[in-house]
Coordinates of all heavy atoms in Angstrom, one line a residue:
A70 N -0.2 8.5 -7.9 CA 0.0 7.6 -6.7 C -0.9 6.5 -6.8 O -0.6 5.3 -6.5 CB -0.2 8.4 -5.4
I71 N -2.2 6.8 -7.3 CA -3.2 5.7 -7.4 C -2.8 4.7 -8.5 O -2.8 3.5 -8.3 CB -4.6 6.3 -7.7 CG1 -5.1 7.1 -6.5 CG2 -5.6 5.3 -8.1 CD1 -6.3 8.1 -6.7
L72 N -2.4 5.2 -9.6 CA -2.0 4.3 -10.7 C -0.8 3.5 -10.3 O -0.7 2.3 -10.7 CB -1.7 5.2 -12.0 CG -3.0 5.9 -12.6 CD1 -2.5 6.9 -13.6 CD2 -3.9 4.8 -13.2
E73 N 0.2 4.1 -9.7 CA 1.4 3.4 -9.3 C 1.1 2.3 -8.3 O 1.7 1.3 -8.3 CB 2.5 4.4 -8.8 CG 3.8 3.9 -8.5 CD 4.5 3.1 -9.7 OE1 4.1 3.4 -10.8 OE2 5.3 2.3 -9.4
T74 N 0.1 2.6 -7.3 CA -0.2 1.5 -6.4 C -0.8 0.3 -7.1 O -0.5 -0.8 -6.7 CB -1.2 2.1 -5.3 OG1 -0.7 3.4 -4.8 CG2 -1.4 1.2 -4.2
L75 N -1.6 0.6 -8.1 CA -2.2 -0.5 -8.9 C -1.0 -1.2 -9.6 O -1.0 -2.5 -9.5 CB -3.2 0.1 -9.9 CG -4.1 -0.9 -10.7 CD1 -5.1 -1.5 -9.7 CD2 -4.8 -0.1 -11.8
R76 N -0.1 -0.5 -10.2 CA 1.0 -1.2 -10.9 C 1.8 -2.0 -9.9 O 2.2 -3.2 -10.2 CB 1.9 -0.2 -11.6 CG 1.3 0.4 -12.8 CD 2.4 1.4 -13.4 NE 1.6 2.6 -14.1 CZ 1.7 3.8 -13.7 NH1 2.5 4.2 -12.7 NH2 1.0 4.8 -14.3
Q77 N 2.2 -1.4 -8.8 CA 3.0 -2.1 -7.8 C 2.4 -3.4 -7.4 O 3.1 -4.3 -7.0 CB 3.3 -1.2 -6.6 CG 4.0 0.0 -6.8 CD 5.5 -0.2 -6.5 OE1 5.9 -1.0 -5.7 NE2 6.3 0.7 -7.1
N78 N 1.1 -3.5 -7.3 CA 0.4 -4.7 -6.9 C 0.1 -5.6 -8.1 O -0.4 -6.7 -7.9 CB -0.9 -4.3 -6.2 CG -0.7 -3.8 -4.8 OD1 -0.6 -4.6 -3.9 ND2 -0.5 -2.5 -4.6
N79 N 0.4 -5.1 -9.3 CA 0.3 -6.0 -10.5 C -1.2 -6.4 -10.6 O -1.5 -7.6 -11.0 CB 1.2 -7.2 -10.3 CG 1.7 -7.5 -11.7 OD1 1.4 -6.9 -12.7 ND2 2.6 -8.5 -11.8
L80 N -2.1 -5.5 -10.3 CA -3.5 -5.9 -10.3 C -4.2 -5.3 -11.6 O -3.9 -4.1 -12.0 CB -4.3 -5.5 -9.1 CG -4.0 -6.2 -7.8 CD1 -4.8 -5.7 -6.7 CD2 -4.2 -7.7 -8.0
K81 N -5.2 -6.0 -12.1 CA -5.9 -5.5 -13.3 C -7.4 -5.1 -12.9 O -7.9 -4.1 -13.3 CB -6.0 -6.6 -14.4 CG -4.7 -7.0 -15.0 CD -4.3 -6.1 -16.2 CE -3.0 -6.4 -16.8 NZ -2.0 -5.4 -16.5
D82 N -7.9 -6.0 -12.0 CA -9.3 -5.7 -11.6 C -9.3 -5.5 -10.0 O -8.9 -6.4 -9.3 CB -10.2 -6.8 -11.9 CG -10.4 -6.9 -13.4 OD1 -11.2 -6.2 -14.0 OD2 -9.7 -7.8 -14.0
A83 N -9.5 -4.3 -9.6 CA -9.3 -4.0 -8.2 C -10.3 -2.9 -7.7 O -10.9 -2.2 -8.5 CB -7.9 -3.5 -8.0
Y84 N -10.4 -2.9 -6.4 CA -11.1 -1.8 -5.7 C -10.0 -1.0 -5.0 O -9.2 -1.6 -4.2 CB -12.1 -2.4 -4.7 CG -12.8 -1.3 -3.9 CD1 -14.0 -0.7 -4.4 CD2 -12.4 -1.0 -2.6 CE1 -14.6 0.3 -3.7 CE2 -13.0 0.0 -1.9 CZ -14.2 0.6 -2.4 OH -14.8 1.6 -1.7
I85 N -10.0 0.3 -5.2 CA -8.8 1.1 -4.7 C -9.4 2.1 -3.7 O -10.4 2.8 -4.0 CB -8.2 1.9 -5.8 CG1 -7.8 0.9 -7.0 CG2 -6.9 2.6 -5.4 CD1 -7.5 1.6 -8.3
R86 N -8.7 2.3 -2.6 CA -9.3 3.1 -1.5 C -8.3 4.1 -1.1 O -7.4 3.9 -0.2 CB -9.7 2.2 -0.3 CG -10.0 2.9 1.0 CD -11.3 3.7 1.0 NE -12.4 2.9 0.6 CZ -13.3 2.3 1.5 NH1 -13.1 2.3 2.7 NH2 -14.3 1.7 1.0
P87 N -8.2 5.4 -1.7 CA -7.4 6.4 -1.1 C -8.0 7.0 0.1 O -9.3 7.2 0.2 CB -7.4 7.5 -2.2 CG -8.1 6.9 -3.4 CD -8.9 5.8 -2.9
I88 N -7.2 7.2 1.1 CA -7.7 7.7 2.5 C -6.8 8.9 2.9 O -5.6 8.7 2.8 CB -7.6 6.6 3.5 CG1 -8.4 5.3 3.1 CG2 -8.1 7.1 4.9 CD1 -7.9 4.1 3.9
V89 N -7.4 9.9 3.2 CA -6.6 11.1 3.7 C -7.1 11.5 5.0 O -8.3 11.9 5.2 CB -6.7 12.3 2.7 CG1 -5.8 13.4 3.2 CG2 -6.4 11.9 1.3
S90 N -6.3 11.4 6.1 CA -6.7 11.8 7.4 C -6.1 13.2 7.7 O -5.1 13.6 7.1 CB -6.3 10.8 8.4 OG -4.9 10.9 8.7
R91 N -6.6 13.8 8.8 CA -6.0 15.1 9.2 C -4.6 15.0 9.6 O -3.8 15.9 9.6 CB -6.9 15.7 10.4 CG -6.5 17.0 10.9 CD -7.1 18.2 10.0 NE -8.6 18.1 10.0 CZ -9.3 18.9 9.2 NH1 -8.7 19.8 8.5 NH2 -10.6 18.8 9.2
G92 N -4.2 13.8 10.0 CA -2.8 13.5 10.4 C -2.7 13.3 11.9 O -3.7 13.2 12.6
N93 N -1.5 13.2 12.4 CA -1.3 12.9 13.8 C -1.4 14.2 14.6 O -0.7 15.2 14.3 CB 0.1 12.3 14.0 CG 0.3 11.0 13.2 OD1 -0.7 10.5 12.7 ND2 1.5 10.6 13.0
G94 N -2.2 14.2 15.7 CA -2.3 15.3 16.6 C -2.2 14.9 18.0 O -1.4 13.9 18.3
D95 N -2.9 15.6 18.9 CA -2.9 15.0 20.3 C -4.3 14.5 20.6 O -5.1 14.3 19.6 CB -2.5 16.1 21.3 CG -3.4 17.3 21.3 OD1 -4.5 17.2 20.8 OD2 -3.0 18.3 21.9
L96 N -4.6 14.2 21.8 CA -5.9 13.6 22.1 C -7.1 14.6 22.1 O -8.2 14.2 22.2 CB -5.9 12.8 23.5 CG -5.1 11.5 23.5 CD1 -5.1 10.9 24.9 CD2 -5.7 10.5 22.4
G97 N -6.8 15.9 21.9 CA -7.8 16.8 21.8 C -8.3 16.9 20.3 O -7.8 16.3 19.4
L98 N -9.4 17.6 20.1 CA -10.0 17.7 18.8 C -9.3 18.6 17.8 O -9.4 18.4 16.7 CB -11.5 18.3 19.0 CG -12.6 17.5 19.5 CD1 -13.8 18.3 19.6 CD2 -12.9 16.3 18.6
D99 N -8.6 19.6 18.4 CA -8.1 20.7 17.6 C -7.3 20.3 16.4 O -6.1 19.8 16.5 CB -7.3 21.6 18.5 CG -7.0 23.0 17.8 OD1 -7.4 23.1 16.6 OD2 -6.5 23.8 18.5
P100 N -7.8 20.5 15.1 CA -7.0 20.1 13.9 C -5.7 20.9 13.8 O -4.8 20.5 13.1 CB -8.0 20.5 12.8 CG -9.2 21.0 13.4 CD -9.1 21.1 14.8
L101 N -5.6 22.1 14.5 CA -4.3 22.8 14.4 C -3.2 22.1 15.0 O -2.0 22.3 14.7 CB -4.5 24.2 15.1 CG -5.4 25.2 14.5 CD1 -5.6 26.4 15.4 CD2 -4.9 25.6 13.1
K102 N -3.5 21.1 15.9 CA -2.4 20.3 16.5 C -1.9 19.2 15.5 O -0.9 18.5 15.8 CB -3.0 19.6 17.8 CG -3.4 20.6 18.8 CD -2.2 21.1 19.7 CE -2.6 22.2 20.6 NZ -3.6 21.9 21.6
C103 N -2.6 19.0 14.4 CA -2.1 18.0 13.4 C -1.2 18.7 12.4 O -1.7 19.6 11.8 CB -3.3 17.4 12.7 SG -4.5 16.6 13.8
D104 N 0.0 18.3 12.3 CA 0.9 19.1 11.4 C 0.7 18.8 9.9 O 0.7 19.8 9.2 CB 2.4 18.9 11.9 CG 2.9 17.4 11.7 OD1 2.0 16.5 11.6 OD2 4.1 17.2 11.7
K105 N 0.4 17.6 9.6 CA 0.1 17.4 8.1 C -0.7 16.2 7.9 O -0.7 15.2 8.7 CB 1.4 17.4 7.3 CG 2.3 16.2 7.5 CD 3.5 16.2 6.5 CE 4.4 15.1 6.7 NZ 3.9 13.8 6.9
A106 N -1.4 16.2 6.7 CA -2.3 15.1 6.4 C -1.5 13.7 6.3 O -0.4 13.7 5.8 CB -3.1 15.4 5.1
N107 N -2.1 12.6 6.7 CA -1.6 11.3 6.3 C -2.4 10.8 5.1 O -3.6 10.9 5.0 CB -1.8 10.3 7.4 CG -0.8 10.5 8.5 OD1 0.3 10.9 8.3 ND2 -1.2 10.3 9.8
V108 N -1.7 10.3 4.0 CA -2.3 9.8 2.8 C -2.0 8.3 2.7 O -0.8 7.9 2.7 CB -1.7 10.6 1.6 CG1 -2.4 10.1 0.3 CG2 -2.0 12.1 1.8
F109 N -3.0 7.5 2.6 CA -2.9 6.1 2.4 C -3.6 5.7 1.1 O -4.7 6.3 0.8 CB -3.6 5.3 3.5 CG -3.2 5.8 4.9 CD1 -3.9 6.8 5.6 CD2 -2.1 5.3 5.5 CE1 -3.5 7.2 6.8 CE2 -1.7 5.7 6.8 CZ -2.4 6.6 7.4
I110 N -3.1 4.7 0.4 CA -3.9 4.1 -0.7 C -3.8 2.6 -0.5 O -2.7 2.0 -0.6 CB -3.3 4.6 -2.1 CG1 -3.3 6.1 -2.2 CG2 -4.2 4.0 -3.2 CD1 -2.6 6.6 -3.5
V111 N -4.9 2.0 -0.3 CA -5.0 0.5 -0.2 C -5.9 0.0 -1.3 O -6.8 0.7 -1.8 CB -5.5 0.1 1.2 CG1 -4.4 0.3 2.3 CG2 -6.8 0.9 1.6
L112 N -5.7 -1.2 -1.6 CA -6.5 -1.8 -2.6 C -6.7 -3.3 -2.4 O -6.0 -3.9 -1.6 CB -6.0 -1.5 -4.0 CG -4.8 -2.2 -4.6 CD1 -4.5 -1.5 -5.9 CD2 -3.6 -2.3 -3.7
K113 N -7.7 -3.9 -3.0 CA -7.9 -5.3 -3.0 C -8.4 -5.8 -4.4 O -8.9 -5.0 -5.1 CB -8.8 -5.7 -1.9 CG -10.2 -5.2 -2.1 CD -11.2 -5.9 -1.2 CE -12.7 -5.6 -1.5 NZ -13.6 -6.3 -1.0
T114 N -8.1 -7.0 -4.7 CA -8.6 -7.6 -6.0 C -10.2 -7.6 -5.9 O -10.7 -7.9 -5.0 CB -8.2 -9.0 -6.1 OG1 -6.8 -9.1 -5.9 CG2 -8.5 -9.6 -7.5
M115 N -10.8 -7.1 -7.0 CA -12.2 -7.2 -7.1 C -12.6 -7.4 -8.5 O -12.3 -6.6 -9.4 CB -12.9 -5.9 -6.5 CG -14.4 -6.2 -6.4 SD -15.3 -4.7 -5.9 CE -15.3 -4.8 -4.2
D116 N -13.2 -8.5 -8.9 CA -13.6 -8.8 -10.2 C -14.9 -8.0 -10.6 O -15.7 -7.7 -9.7 CB -13.8 -10.3 -10.4 CG -12.5 -11.0 -10.5 OD1 -11.5 -10.4 -10.9 OD2 -12.4 -12.2 -10.0
S117 N -15.1 -7.8 -11.9 CA -16.3 -7.1 -12.3 C -17.4 -8.1 -12.0 O -17.3 -9.3 -12.2 CB -16.3 -6.8 -13.8 OG -15.0 -7.2 -14.3
L118 N -18.6 -7.6 -11.6 CA -19.7 -8.5 -11.3 C -20.6 -8.5 -12.5 O -20.9 -9.6 -13.1 CB -20.5 -8.0 -10.1 CG -19.7 -7.9 -8.8 CD1 -20.5 -7.1 -7.8 CD2 -19.5 -9.3 -8.2
Y119 N -21.1 -7.3 -12.9 CA -22.1 -7.2 -14.0 C -23.2 -8.3 -13.8 O -23.6 -8.9 -14.7 CB -21.5 -7.2 -15.4 CG -20.3 -6.4 -15.6 CD1 -19.1 -6.9 -16.0 CD2 -20.4 -5.0 -15.3 CE1 -18.0 -6.1 -16.1 CE2 -19.3 -4.2 -15.5 CZ -18.1 -4.7 -15.9 OH -17.0 -3.9 -16.1
D120 N -23.5 -8.5 -12.6 CA -24.2 -9.6 -12.2 C -25.7 -9.1 -11.9 O -25.8 -7.9 -11.6 CB -23.6 -10.1 -10.9 CG -23.8 -11.6 -10.8 OD1 -24.5 -12.1 -11.7 OD2 -23.4 -12.1 -9.8
T121 N -26.6 -10.0 -12.0 CA -27.9 -9.7 -11.7 C -28.1 -9.9 -10.1 O -28.5 -10.9 -9.8 CB -29.0 -10.4 -12.4 OG1 -28.3 -11.1 -13.5 CG2 -30.0 -9.5 -13.1
M122 N -27.6 -8.9 -9.4 CA -27.8 -8.9 -7.9 C -29.2 -8.4 -7.7 O -29.7 -7.4 -8.2 CB -26.9 -7.9 -7.3 CG -25.7 -8.6 -6.6 SD -25.0 -7.5 -5.4 CE -24.2 -6.3 -6.3
E123 N -30.0 -9.2 -6.9 CA -31.3 -8.8 -6.6 C -31.4 -8.6 -5.0 O -31.3 -9.6 -4.3 CB -32.3 -9.9 -7.1 CG -32.3 -9.8 -8.6 CD -33.2 -10.8 -9.3 OE1 -33.6 -11.8 -8.7 OE2 -33.5 -10.6 -10.5
L124 N -31.6 -7.3 -4.6 CA -31.5 -7.0 -3.2 C -32.8 -6.8 -2.6 O -33.7 -6.3 -3.2 CB -30.6 -5.8 -3.0 CG -29.2 -5.7 -3.6 CD1 -28.7 -4.3 -3.5 CD2 -28.3 -6.7 -2.9
K125 N -32.9 -7.2 -1.3 CA -34.0 -6.7 -0.5 C -33.5 -5.5 0.3 O -32.4 -5.5 0.9 CB -34.3 -7.8 0.6 CG -35.1 -9.0 0.0 CD -35.4 -9.9 1.1 CE -36.4 -11.0 0.6 NZ -36.8 -11.9 1.7
A126 N -34.4 -4.5 0.3 CA -34.0 -3.2 1.0 C -35.0 -2.8 2.0 O -36.2 -3.1 1.8 CB -33.8 -2.1 0.0
V127 N -34.6 -2.2 3.1 CA -35.5 -1.6 4.0 C -35.3 -0.2 4.3 O -34.1 0.3 4.3 CB -35.5 -2.4 5.4 CG1 -36.0 -3.9 5.2 CG2 -34.2 -2.4 6.0
T128 N -36.3 0.6 4.5 CA -36.1 2.0 4.9 C -35.8 2.0 6.4 O -36.4 1.3 7.2 CB -37.4 2.8 4.6 OG1 -38.5 2.3 5.2 CG2 -37.6 2.9 3.1
V129 N -34.9 2.9 6.8 CA -34.4 2.9 8.1 C -34.8 4.2 8.9 O -35.1 5.2 8.3 CB -32.9 2.6 8.2 CG1 -32.5 1.2 7.7 CG2 -32.1 3.7 7.3
G130 N -34.8 4.1 10.2 CA -35.2 5.2 11.0 C -34.1 6.3 11.1 O -34.3 7.5 11.2
V131 N -32.8 5.8 11.0 CA -31.7 6.8 11.0 C -31.7 7.6 9.8 O -32.0 7.2 8.7 CB -30.3 6.0 11.2 CG1 -30.2 4.9 10.2 CG2 -29.1 7.0 11.1
R132 N -31.6 9.0 9.9 CA -31.8 9.9 8.8 C -30.5 10.3 8.2 O -29.4 10.4 8.9 CB -32.5 11.2 9.4 CG -33.9 10.9 9.7 CD -34.8 10.6 8.5 NE -36.2 10.6 8.8 CZ -36.9 9.4 8.9 NH1 -36.3 8.3 8.7 NH2 -38.2 9.5 9.1
R133 N -30.5 10.6 6.9 CA -29.4 11.2 6.2 C -29.6 12.7 6.3 O -30.6 13.2 5.8 CB -29.5 10.8 4.7 CG -28.2 11.0 3.9 CD -27.2 10.0 4.4 NE -26.0 9.9 3.4 CZ -24.8 10.1 3.8 NH1 -24.5 10.4 5.0 NH2 -23.8 10.0 2.9
N134 N -28.7 13.3 7.1 CA -29.0 14.8 7.4 C -28.7 15.6 6.1 O -27.7 15.5 5.5 CB -28.0 15.2 8.5 CG -28.2 14.5 9.8 OD1 -29.4 14.0 9.9 ND2 -27.3 14.5 10.6
A135 N -29.7 16.5 5.9 CA -29.4 17.4 4.8 C -30.5 18.4 4.7 O -31.7 18.1 5.0 CB -29.4 16.7 3.4
P136 N -30.3 19.7 4.4 CA -29.0 20.2 4.3 C -28.3 20.4 5.8 O -29.1 20.7 6.7 CB -29.2 21.6 3.6 CG -30.6 21.9 3.9 CD -31.3 20.7 4.2
D137 N -27.1 20.3 5.8 CA -26.4 20.2 7.1 C -24.9 20.5 6.9 O -24.4 20.4 5.8 CB -26.5 18.7 7.5 CG -26.3 18.5 9.0 OD1 -25.1 18.7 9.4 OD2 -27.1 18.1 9.8
A138 N -24.3 20.9 8.0 CA -22.9 21.2 8.0 C -22.1 20.0 7.4 O -21.3 20.0 6.6 CB -22.3 21.6 9.3

Side-chain angles (χ1 to χ4, degrees):
I71 291 166
L72 292 168
E73 187 55 25
T74 310
L75 191 66
R76 282 183 216 118
Q77 293 267 337
N78 283 274
N79 219 356
L80 288 180
K81 297 267 178 256
D82 294 283
Y84 178 83
I85 310 164
R86 169 68 59 92
I88 304 161
V89 184
S90 77
R91 184 81 59 186
N93 303 343
D95 64 14
L96 285 179
L98 284 175
D99 193 352
L101 291 176
K102 299 278 172 60
C103 303
D104 61 343
K105 63 175 182 45
N107 282 326
V108 181
F109 310 92
I110 304 171
V111 284
L112 78 186
K113 65 168 188 164
T114 310
M115 191 186 268
D116 286 331
S117 0
L118 299 167
Y119 310 124
D120 207 358
T121 352
M122 255 202 288
E123 293 180 339
L124 304 174
K125 284 184 169 181
V127 293
T128 55
V129 292
V131 52
R132 290 291 188 256
R133 199 70 165 123
N134 297 339
D137 194 294

